[in-house]
């Protein structure tokens, strides 16, 4: 059954979209993070270009209907596995903490 509940459409699938978009835009995430670290309080003024590039990359994915369908398919697969096994699959988080 692939019928989606409100919370799945409005919360769970967008969460997967955000995580995947951050991974796909990781070069821009890193550039923005680096700029912010180097500029400190001046980041608001000095990192506009990096911030714009990051936003454009993320919004490009968020507004792509094919990307939404890919993430929906991924969610439905995870949901099906969970219903079959009772074991929730955790998405791997990219962490920079060592």
């Amino acid at each position: 059954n692939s019928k989606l509940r409100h919370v799945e459409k409005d919360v769970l699938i967008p969460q997967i979209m955000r995580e995947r978009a951050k991974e796909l835009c990781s070069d821009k995430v890193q550039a923005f993070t680096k700029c912010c670290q180097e500029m400190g309080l001046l980041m608001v003024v000095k990192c506009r270009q990096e911030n714009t590039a990051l936003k454009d990359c993320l919004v490009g994915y968020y507004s792509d209907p094919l990307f939404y369908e890919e993430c929906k398919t991924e969610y439905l697969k995870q949901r099906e596995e969970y219903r079959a096994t009772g074991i929730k699959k955790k998405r791997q988080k990219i962490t920079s903490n060592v």
Side-chain angles (χ1 to χ4, degrees):
N1 182 5
S2 62
K3 189 151 172 80
L4 294 171
R5 294 176 295 146
H6 188 352
V7 70
E8 292 172 317
K9 281 191 277 191
D10 296 343
V11 177
L12 300 175
I13 294 171
Q15 181 179 351
I16 290 173
M17 291 176 73
R18 282 190 302 275
E19 290 172 5
R20 286 197 56 209
K22 277 186 192 174
E23 291 167 11
L24 294 167
C25 297
S26 65
D27 57 332
K28 289 162 185 64
V29 171
Q30 289 172 359
F32 179 66
T33 301
K34 183 177 182 222
C35 182
C36 290
Q37 289 170 342
E38 290 174 357
M39 294 301 153
L41 295 175
L42 296 174
M43 71 179 180
V44 175
V45 176
K46 299 284 186 180
C47 300
R48 282 187 183 145
Q49 185 175 344
E50 292 82 355
N51 188 29
T52 299
L54 175 56
K55 281 184 184 174
D56 289 348
C57 184
L58 294 173
V59 169
Y61 283 110
Y62 298 158
S63 59
D64 181 351
L66 290 176
F67 185 67
Y68 175 85
E69 289 302 319
E70 285 176 27
C71 294
K72 178 175 137 182
T73 300
E74 180 181 333
Y75 171 77
L76 289 172
K77 184 179 171 197
Q78 289 175 7
R79 185 177 78 173
E80 185 178 325
E81 288 174 11
Y82 173 74
R83 287 179 176 176
T85 64
I87 300 169
K88 186 173 183 180
K89 182 182 178 224
K90 291 186 179 180
R91 282 187 52 86
Q92 299 223 341
K93 298 266 183 193
I94 299 173
T95 57
S96 57
N97 299 345
V98 178

